[in-house]
Amino acid sequence: MSRKFHEEVGVLFSEYLIQYRIQTAKQFLITHINWTISDVAEKSGFRSQHYFSTLFRKIEGISPTEFRERENKSLSSSQ
């Protein structure tokens, strides 16, 4: 089944799942500013905050906290 997914979508299922979870986490970081990074990690499907933060930084180039601060600053300056 994983091979079929890779053939159809072009990425490994595990990579797709990580990307999906990171996108979900980005939305949570913006919309749930009262949640801790640990809460965001857990609700996005990651078992470890450390693993989540490491992957987030690897994919996005900044930490989850930096992402949240940048997005909140961007939102407040556009209002």
Side-chain angles (χ1 to χ4, degrees):
M1 185 159 173
S2 183
R3 186 180 337 202
K4 183 71 171 168
F5 184 89
H6 185 260
E7 289 171 5
E8 294 292 324
V9 180
V11 296
L12 297 173
F13 179 72
S14 59
E15 291 173 7
Y16 175 85
L17 187 57
I18 287 169
Q19 286 292 336
Y20 177 82
R21 287 177 175 169
I22 292 293
Q23 291 304 314
T24 300
K26 288 167 63 177
Q27 287 302 311
F28 287 158
L29 287 165
I30 295 167
T31 59
H32 298 283
I33 58 172
N34 58 324
W35 287 3
T36 65
I37 300 303
S38 183
D39 290 337
V40 171
E42 180 183 334
K43 294 190 186 332
S44 301
F46 293 93
R47 291 185 182 189
S48 160
Q49 177 189 339
H50 177 72
Y51 180 63
F52 163 67
S53 294
T54 300
L55 275 179
F56 193 97
R57 182 180 292 275
K58 180 180 177 185
I59 293 169
E60 296 297 321
I62 57 176
S63 73
T65 301
E66 291 167 324
F67 176 85
R68 175 182 269 167
E69 290 170 353
R70 185 184 73 193
E71 290 299 312
N72 286 336
K73 192 175 287 186
S74 172
L75 287 174
S76 63
S77 67
S78 67
Q79 293 179 357

XYZ file of all heavy atoms in Angstrom:
664
model
N 0.822 -1.185 0.000
C 0.000 0.000 0.000
C 0.873 1.259 0.000
O 0.573 2.210 -0.707
C -0.926 -0.002 1.203
C -1.888 1.124 1.197
S -3.256 0.694 2.252
C -4.124 2.181 2.274
N 1.944 1.257 0.786
C 2.841 2.393 0.836
C 3.497 2.639 -0.526
O 3.667 3.778 -0.949
C 3.916 2.167 1.903
O 4.741 3.300 1.988
N 3.835 1.566 -1.201
C 4.442 1.685 -2.531
C 3.446 2.315 -3.505
O 3.801 3.170 -4.301
C 4.890 0.311 -3.030
C 5.640 0.370 -4.318
C 6.083 -0.984 -4.793
N 6.162 -1.944 -3.706
C 6.876 -3.044 -3.726
N 7.579 -3.349 -4.782
N 6.893 -3.877 -2.702
N 2.202 1.893 -3.441
C 1.157 2.440 -4.305
C 0.964 3.929 -4.027
O 0.818 4.729 -4.958
C -0.151 1.663 -4.098
C -1.266 2.098 -4.984
C -1.026 1.684 -6.417
C -2.265 1.928 -7.253
N -2.013 1.825 -8.659
N 0.960 4.303 -2.765
C 0.833 5.711 -2.391
C 1.976 6.507 -3.009
O 1.760 7.567 -3.591
C 0.843 5.859 -0.862
C 0.628 7.272 -0.397
C -0.645 7.740 -0.168
C 1.703 8.126 -0.191
C -0.860 9.051 0.253
C 1.505 9.430 0.221
C 0.223 9.891 0.445
N 3.198 5.996 -2.886
C 4.368 6.668 -3.440
C 4.250 6.821 -4.951
O 4.574 7.871 -5.515
C 5.644 5.906 -3.060
C 6.894 6.603 -3.507
N 7.566 6.231 -4.633
C 7.570 7.643 -2.962
C 8.624 7.019 -4.784
N 8.644 7.886 -3.778
N 3.779 5.789 -5.614
C 3.614 5.842 -7.069
C 2.572 6.886 -7.469
O 2.761 7.617 -8.442
C 3.196 4.472 -7.603
C 4.281 3.429 -7.557
C 3.780 2.032 -7.898
O 2.590 1.884 -8.270
O 4.579 1.087 -7.783
N 1.493 6.960 -6.729
C 0.394 7.869 -7.071
C 0.683 9.321 -6.693
O 0.370 10.235 -7.445
C -0.901 7.418 -6.390
C -1.434 6.084 -6.879
C -1.923 6.130 -8.312
O -2.492 7.158 -8.719
O -1.717 5.131 -9.027
N 1.242 9.530 -5.514
C 1.404 10.882 -4.981
C 2.799 11.440 -5.263
O 2.978 12.649 -5.379
C 1.089 10.903 -3.466
C 1.246 12.284 -2.871
C -0.321 10.387 -3.222
N 3.792 10.563 -5.354
C 5.152 11.013 -5.652
C 6.035 11.226 -4.449
O 7.187 11.640 -4.588
N 5.499 11.001 -3.259
C 6.300 11.083 -2.032
C 5.962 9.883 -1.156
O 4.893 9.295 -1.280
C 6.059 12.392 -1.236
C 6.495 13.609 -2.005
C 4.619 12.522 -0.808
N 6.881 9.569 -0.272
C 6.615 8.492 0.671
C 5.478 8.902 1.605
O 5.320 10.084 1.931
C 7.856 8.183 1.503
C 9.070 7.665 0.747
C 10.268 7.561 1.684
C 8.765 6.315 0.117
N 4.703 7.925 2.042
C 3.593 8.211 2.942
C 4.080 8.901 4.207
O 3.467 9.867 4.674
C 2.828 6.932 3.296
C 1.693 7.188 4.252
C 0.548 7.833 3.819
C 1.792 6.820 5.581
C -0.497 8.092 4.693
C 0.759 7.082 6.470
C -0.393 7.717 6.023
N 5.201 8.445 4.759
C 5.718 9.048 5.996
C 6.087 10.515 5.779
O 5.844 11.356 6.657
C 6.923 8.263 6.504
O 7.944 8.230 5.534
N 6.636 10.858 4.619
C 6.965 12.252 4.319
C 5.693 13.086 4.169
O 5.621 14.223 4.641
C 7.798 12.343 3.044
C 9.187 11.770 3.191
C 9.929 11.712 1.869
O 9.434 12.234 0.849
O 11.022 11.133 1.861
N 4.700 12.521 3.498
C 3.419 13.202 3.329
C 2.789 13.483 4.694
O 2.304 14.589 4.962
C 2.477 12.352 2.471
C 1.093 12.934 2.351
C 0.815 13.888 1.373
C 0.083 12.540 3.213
C -0.459 14.443 1.261
C -1.186 13.091 3.108
C -1.449 14.034 2.133
O -2.703 14.582 2.041
N 2.806 12.496 5.563
C 2.215 12.636 6.888
C 2.920 13.721 7.704
O 2.272 14.542 8.357
C 2.249 11.299 7.627
C 1.518 11.225 8.958
C 0.048 11.592 8.800
C 1.658 9.830 9.554
N 4.238 13.759 7.629
C 4.999 14.789 8.345
C 4.620 16.171 7.815
O 4.372 17.099 8.599
C 6.512 14.533 8.237
C 6.899 13.345 9.111
C 7.307 15.780 8.632
C 8.308 12.839 8.891
N 4.575 16.324 6.487
C 4.207 17.618 5.900
C 2.796 18.034 6.333
O 2.560 19.197 6.666
C 4.289 17.554 4.370
C 5.688 17.538 3.843
C 6.426 18.850 4.079
O 5.822 19.912 4.225
N 7.731 18.776 4.123
N 1.877 17.073 6.323
C 0.501 17.360 6.740
C 0.467 17.824 8.203
O -0.199 18.808 8.544
C -0.384 16.126 6.543
C -1.797 16.322 7.011
C -2.728 16.961 6.192
C -2.192 15.895 8.277
C -4.028 17.161 6.626
C -3.487 16.099 8.712
C -4.398 16.731 7.890
O -5.676 16.936 8.333
N 1.191 17.123 9.044
C 1.209 17.479 10.467
C 1.851 18.833 10.709
O 1.398 19.603 11.567
C 1.913 16.385 11.274
C 1.081 15.130 11.397
C 1.814 14.043 12.128
N 0.948 12.891 12.340
C 1.368 11.719 12.761
N 2.643 11.512 13.028
N 0.508 10.727 12.937
N 2.903 19.154 9.971
C 3.556 20.458 10.115
C 2.600 21.567 9.667
O 2.492 22.613 10.327
C 4.885 20.512 9.331
C 5.931 19.583 9.966
C 5.413 21.952 9.231
C 6.419 19.991 11.343
N 1.886 21.366 8.571
C 0.907 22.361 8.114
C -0.198 22.560 9.159
O -0.623 23.688 9.415
C 0.305 21.955 6.761
C 1.291 22.018 5.617
C 1.942 23.379 5.470
O 1.282 24.414 5.516
N 3.252 23.388 5.298
N -0.647 21.462 9.750
C -1.651 21.539 10.810
C -1.093 22.313 11.999
O -1.776 23.185 12.554
C -2.074 20.119 11.244
O -2.627 19.443 10.117
C -3.098 20.158 12.367
N 0.133 22.016 12.370
C 0.772 22.700 13.501
C 0.892 24.196 13.228
O 0.667 25.012 14.132
C 2.149 22.094 13.764
N 1.222 24.579 12.007
C 1.330 25.997 11.672
C 0.001 26.707 11.880
O -0.030 27.815 12.417
C 1.825 26.160 10.232
C 3.287 25.810 10.070
C 3.718 25.670 8.630
C 3.605 26.913 7.829
N 4.110 26.742 6.435
N -1.086 26.065 11.498
C -2.407 26.654 11.721
C -2.701 26.771 13.217
O -3.230 27.794 13.670
C -3.493 25.829 11.025
C -3.479 25.981 9.527
C -3.656 27.430 9.094
O -4.558 28.129 9.549
N -2.779 27.893 8.225
N -2.363 25.728 13.978
C -2.577 25.772 15.427
C -1.736 26.870 16.080
O -2.204 27.547 16.996
C -2.238 24.424 16.068
C -3.238 23.328 15.802
C -2.857 21.997 15.908
C -4.550 23.596 15.456
C -3.763 20.967 15.681
C -5.467 22.577 15.215
C -5.069 21.261 15.329
N -0.510 27.042 15.632
C 0.364 28.060 16.208
C -0.215 29.459 16.014
O -0.066 30.326 16.872
C 1.764 27.982 15.584
C 2.621 26.804 16.028
C 3.802 26.615 15.095
C 3.090 26.978 17.475
N -0.892 29.661 14.902
C -1.479 30.968 14.599
C -2.814 31.160 15.310
O -3.083 32.228 15.868
C -1.679 31.125 13.075
C -0.323 31.127 12.370
C -2.464 32.391 12.742
C -0.417 30.968 10.863
N -3.646 30.123 15.309
C -5.016 30.281 15.813
C -5.184 29.993 17.296
O -6.164 30.427 17.890
C -5.991 29.391 15.021
O -5.586 28.025 15.128
C -6.042 29.794 13.557
N -4.264 29.279 17.891
C -4.373 28.929 19.314
C -3.147 29.456 20.063
O -2.293 28.692 20.512
C -4.491 27.411 19.489
C -5.711 26.830 18.843
N -6.961 26.938 19.404
C -5.879 26.165 17.677
C -7.845 26.351 18.617
N -7.216 25.878 17.558
N -3.091 30.768 20.204
C -1.899 31.388 20.787
C -1.733 31.063 22.274
O -0.650 31.223 22.819
C -1.882 32.911 20.562
C -3.132 33.570 21.148
C -1.758 33.230 19.083
C -3.096 35.079 21.123
N -2.783 30.577 22.903
C -2.691 30.210 24.321
C -2.144 28.792 24.521
O -1.812 28.407 25.633
C -4.044 30.361 25.011
C -5.120 29.512 24.360
O -5.127 29.338 23.133
N -6.033 28.989 25.152
N -2.051 27.993 23.455
C -1.504 26.643 23.559
C 0.016 26.699 23.665
O 0.664 27.510 23.002
C -1.856 25.800 22.335
C -3.276 25.359 22.235
C -4.303 25.672 23.070
C -3.830 24.534 21.204
N -5.473 25.083 22.627
C -5.206 24.380 21.484
C -3.303 23.919 20.086
C -6.061 23.628 20.695
C -4.148 23.169 19.288
C -5.504 23.025 19.588
N 0.569 25.813 24.467
C 2.021 25.677 24.523
C 2.499 24.955 23.265
O 1.706 24.339 22.554
C 2.459 24.864 25.758
O 1.972 23.518 25.609
C 1.946 25.482 27.061
N 3.798 24.996 23.033
C 4.372 24.272 21.896
C 4.130 22.775 22.078
O 3.851 22.060 21.116
C 5.875 24.588 21.738
C 6.086 26.093 21.503
C 6.489 23.772 20.610
C 5.360 26.685 20.318
N 4.171 22.326 23.288
C 3.884 20.920 23.578
C 2.443 20.569 23.199
O 2.190 19.507 22.629
C 4.127 20.632 25.063
O 3.931 19.288 25.347
N 1.499 21.454 23.507
C 0.098 21.244 23.119
C -0.031 21.157 21.600
O -0.717 20.279 21.079
C -0.792 22.399 23.603
C -0.975 22.446 25.104
O -0.813 21.398 25.768
O -1.294 23.542 25.621
N 0.611 22.079 20.914
C 0.559 22.096 19.444
C 1.124 20.802 18.884
O 0.531 20.188 17.996
C 1.314 23.317 18.873
C 1.458 23.224 17.358
C 0.614 24.615 19.272
N 2.265 20.379 19.412
C 2.895 19.140 18.943
C 1.954 17.957 19.130
O 1.718 17.181 18.201
C 4.207 18.899 19.694
N 1.389 17.836 20.315
C 0.493 16.716 20.618
C -0.754 16.731 19.736
O -1.132 15.718 19.157
C 0.096 16.766 22.090
C -0.827 15.646 22.494
C -1.277 15.745 23.946
O -0.555 16.340 24.770
O -2.377 15.238 24.235
N -1.368 17.902 19.601
C -2.611 17.989 18.830
C -2.371 17.871 17.327
O -3.303 17.609 16.569
C -3.342 19.267 19.188
C -3.815 19.238 20.643
C -4.736 20.356 20.954
C -5.142 20.478 22.390
N -5.179 19.357 23.232
N -1.125 18.017 16.905
C -0.764 17.844 15.493
C -0.362 16.408 15.177
O -0.075 16.090 14.027
C 0.392 18.776 15.123
O 0.045 20.113 15.352
N -0.289 15.573 16.210
C 0.005 14.166 15.986
C 1.422 13.735 16.289
O 1.811 12.606 15.986
N 2.207 14.613 16.901
C 3.576 14.257 17.268
C 3.597 13.756 18.707
O 2.947 14.314 19.581
C 4.515 15.461 17.121
C 4.704 15.904 15.702
C 3.902 16.892 15.153
C 5.672 15.319 14.905
C 4.067 17.301 13.838
C 5.853 15.718 13.590
C 5.042 16.706 13.060
N 4.355 12.727 18.943
C 4.436 12.163 20.302
C 5.443 12.897 21.168
O 5.398 12.798 22.387
C 4.829 10.692 20.229
C 3.747 9.832 19.638
C 4.126 8.403 19.697
N 3.087 7.575 19.071
C 3.054 6.284 19.124
N 4.014 5.626 19.757
N 2.084 5.620 18.538
N 6.366 13.594 20.539
C 7.439 14.256 21.273
C 7.555 15.712 20.839
O 7.639 16.000 19.642
C 8.762 13.527 20.999
O 9.873 14.333 21.293
N 7.578 16.618 21.809
C 7.765 18.029 21.494
C 9.138 18.247 20.879
O 9.291 19.046 19.957
C 7.615 18.888 22.748
C 7.871 20.363 22.470
C 7.934 21.207 23.714
O 7.440 20.835 24.758
N 8.568 22.367 23.601
N 10.132 17.536 21.377
C 11.492 17.685 20.851
C 11.546 17.286 19.379
O 12.104 18.008 18.547
C 12.482 16.858 21.678
C 13.873 16.919 21.153
N 14.649 18.046 21.263
C 14.613 16.007 20.489
C 15.824 17.818 20.689
N 15.824 16.588 20.214
N 10.963 16.142 19.044
C 10.938 15.675 17.660
C 10.178 16.667 16.779
O 10.623 17.017 15.679
C 10.296 14.283 17.595
C 10.208 13.693 16.207
C 11.349 13.406 15.472
C 8.967 13.412 15.636
C 11.264 12.859 14.200
C 8.869 12.862 14.365
C 10.025 12.591 13.656
O 9.935 12.054 12.396
N 9.044 17.145 17.256
C 8.255 18.137 16.529
C 9.077 19.391 16.264
O 9.146 19.876 15.128
C 6.991 18.484 17.315
C 6.334 19.758 16.867
C 5.743 19.848 15.615
C 6.315 20.870 17.686
C 5.131 21.029 15.196
C 5.712 22.048 17.273
C 5.124 22.123 16.027
N 9.706 19.919 17.297
C 10.469 21.156 17.149
C 11.642 20.980 16.188
O 11.932 21.869 15.380
C 10.972 21.643 18.508
O 9.870 22.010 19.325
N 12.298 19.826 16.275
C 13.425 19.539 15.376
C 12.950 19.471 13.927
O 13.566 20.079 13.040
C 14.116 18.218 15.783
O 14.593 18.344 17.127
C 15.259 17.879 14.856
N 11.874 18.745 13.674
C 11.338 18.640 12.314
C 10.830 19.989 11.812
O 11.049 20.340 10.652
C 10.189 17.639 12.261
C 10.550 16.188 12.081
C 9.291 15.332 12.085
C 11.316 15.954 10.804
N 10.153 20.716 12.671
C 9.617 22.021 12.278
C 10.754 22.930 11.826
O 10.672 23.561 10.768
C 8.855 22.657 13.444
C 8.025 23.843 13.041
C 6.681 23.689 12.781
C 8.578 25.113 12.929
C 5.890 24.772 12.404
C 7.811 26.200 12.550
C 6.462 26.030 12.284
N 11.817 23.002 12.610
C 12.969 23.847 12.265
C 13.611 23.375 10.961
O 13.980 24.184 10.112
C 13.996 23.864 13.384
C 15.192 24.774 13.068
C 16.221 24.786 14.177
N 15.744 25.413 15.387
C 15.775 26.739 15.621
N 16.213 27.546 14.701
N 15.340 27.218 16.755
N 13.720 22.067 10.790
C 14.328 21.513 9.570
C 13.508 21.885 8.337
O 14.056 22.255 7.303
C 14.432 19.993 9.695
C 15.046 19.316 8.505
C 15.114 17.818 8.723
C 15.677 17.122 7.497
N 15.657 15.669 7.636
N 12.193 21.820 8.444
C 11.313 22.068 7.300
C 11.072 23.558 7.075
O 11.113 24.040 5.938
C 9.975 21.315 7.481
C 10.233 19.808 7.411
C 8.937 21.752 6.455
C 9.070 18.950 7.840
N 10.817 24.299 8.143
C 10.449 25.711 8.024
C 11.624 26.673 8.159
O 11.511 27.836 7.806
C 9.378 26.069 9.064
C 8.069 25.336 8.880
C 7.397 25.662 7.558
O 7.435 26.836 7.124
O 6.832 24.731 6.949
N 12.729 26.204 8.714
C 13.903 27.067 8.857
C 13.910 27.914 10.113
O 14.866 28.647 10.360
N 12.847 27.833 10.901
C 12.759 28.545 12.173
C 12.026 27.647 13.171
O 11.357 26.700 12.787
C 12.013 29.898 12.052
C 10.610 29.703 11.482
C 12.808 30.891 11.239
C 9.773 30.980 11.424
N 12.153 27.983 14.445
C 11.489 27.188 15.476
C 9.998 27.481 15.486
O 9.552 28.516 14.960
C 12.086 27.518 16.850
O 11.643 28.805 17.272
N 9.209 26.594 16.090
C 7.765 26.875 16.222
C 7.484 28.192 16.949
O 6.585 28.940 16.558
C 7.232 25.682 17.011
C 8.210 24.594 16.774
C 9.542 25.270 16.621
N 8.253 28.489 17.975
C 8.067 29.734 18.722
C 8.354 30.935 17.841
O 7.590 31.914 17.840
C 8.967 29.752 19.972
O 8.634 28.628 20.793
C 8.799 31.031 20.767
N 9.438 30.880 17.075
C 9.769 31.980 16.165
C 8.678 32.151 15.106
O 8.307 33.276 14.768
C 11.121 31.725 15.493
C 12.301 31.820 16.440
C 13.585 31.272 15.844
O 13.531 30.267 15.080
O 14.655 31.851 16.135
N 8.166 31.032 14.602
C 7.086 31.084 13.616
C 5.870 31.787 14.199
O 5.288 32.680 13.583
C 6.715 29.671 13.149
C 5.544 29.644 12.215
C 5.718 29.850 10.856
C 4.253 29.419 12.687
C 4.626 29.841 9.986
C 3.168 29.404 11.830
C 3.357 29.614 10.474
N 5.481 31.400 15.394
C 4.313 31.994 16.054
C 4.508 33.494 16.258
O 3.623 34.290 15.963
C 4.062 31.304 17.382
C 2.951 31.936 18.187
C 2.764 31.264 19.512
N 1.788 30.191 19.370
C 1.572 29.251 20.276
N 2.291 29.231 21.387
N 0.662 28.329 20.088
N 5.684 33.873 16.748
C 5.956 35.291 16.993
C 5.928 36.092 15.699
O 5.358 37.186 15.644
C 7.304 35.454 17.697
C 7.293 34.967 19.123
C 8.673 34.889 19.755
O 9.690 35.096 19.037
O 8.740 34.596 20.957
N 6.520 35.555 14.639
C 6.554 36.239 13.350
C 5.143 36.392 12.786
O 4.763 37.457 12.306
C 7.436 35.473 12.370
C 7.621 36.185 11.042
C 8.405 35.379 10.076
N 7.542 34.296 9.604
C 7.952 33.246 8.923
N 9.219 33.102 8.649
N 7.102 32.328 8.523
N 4.351 35.330 12.853
C 2.988 35.376 12.320
C 2.098 36.314 13.121
O 1.300 37.050 12.544
C 2.380 33.971 12.277
C 3.012 33.080 11.239
C 2.870 33.604 9.827
O 1.753 33.994 9.427
O 3.877 33.642 9.107
N 2.228 36.290 14.434
C 1.413 37.180 15.267
C 1.789 38.647 15.039
O 0.920 39.511 15.009
C 1.539 36.815 16.746
C 0.782 35.538 17.077
O -0.149 35.173 16.384
N 1.196 34.860 18.118
N 3.075 38.921 14.863
C 3.530 40.268 14.568
C 2.987 40.719 13.216
O 2.507 41.827 13.057
C 5.055 40.328 14.576
C 5.623 41.729 14.559
C 7.123 41.709 14.679
C 7.497 41.345 16.096
N 8.938 41.431 16.345
N 3.021 39.808 12.255
C 2.508 40.092 10.914
C 1.011 40.371 10.947
O 0.523 41.291 10.292
C 2.808 38.920 9.989
O 2.185 39.086 8.752
N 0.273 39.566 11.703
C -1.178 39.760 11.804
C -1.540 41.068 12.493
O -2.446 41.768 12.074
C -1.816 38.584 12.545
C -1.898 37.267 11.801
C -2.428 36.164 12.708
C -2.792 37.389 10.572
N -0.813 41.393 13.566
C -1.156 42.604 14.316
C -0.760 43.863 13.557
O -1.428 44.892 13.675
C -0.505 42.588 15.697
O 0.894 42.588 15.598
N 0.256 43.809 12.723
C 0.639 44.999 11.959
C -0.246 45.209 10.742
O -0.324 46.312 10.207
C 2.109 44.919 11.530
O 2.297 43.874 10.589
N -0.954 44.185 10.308
C -1.837 44.324 9.152
C -3.241 44.777 9.543
O -4.074 45.013 8.690
C -1.920 42.997 8.361
O -2.571 42.009 9.114
N -3.501 44.901 10.828
C -4.842 45.309 11.259
C -4.937 46.779 11.484
O -4.222 47.548 11.701
C -5.222 44.568 12.558
C -5.379 43.103 12.311
C -5.736 42.346 13.592
O -5.815 42.904 14.673
N -5.938 41.063 13.457
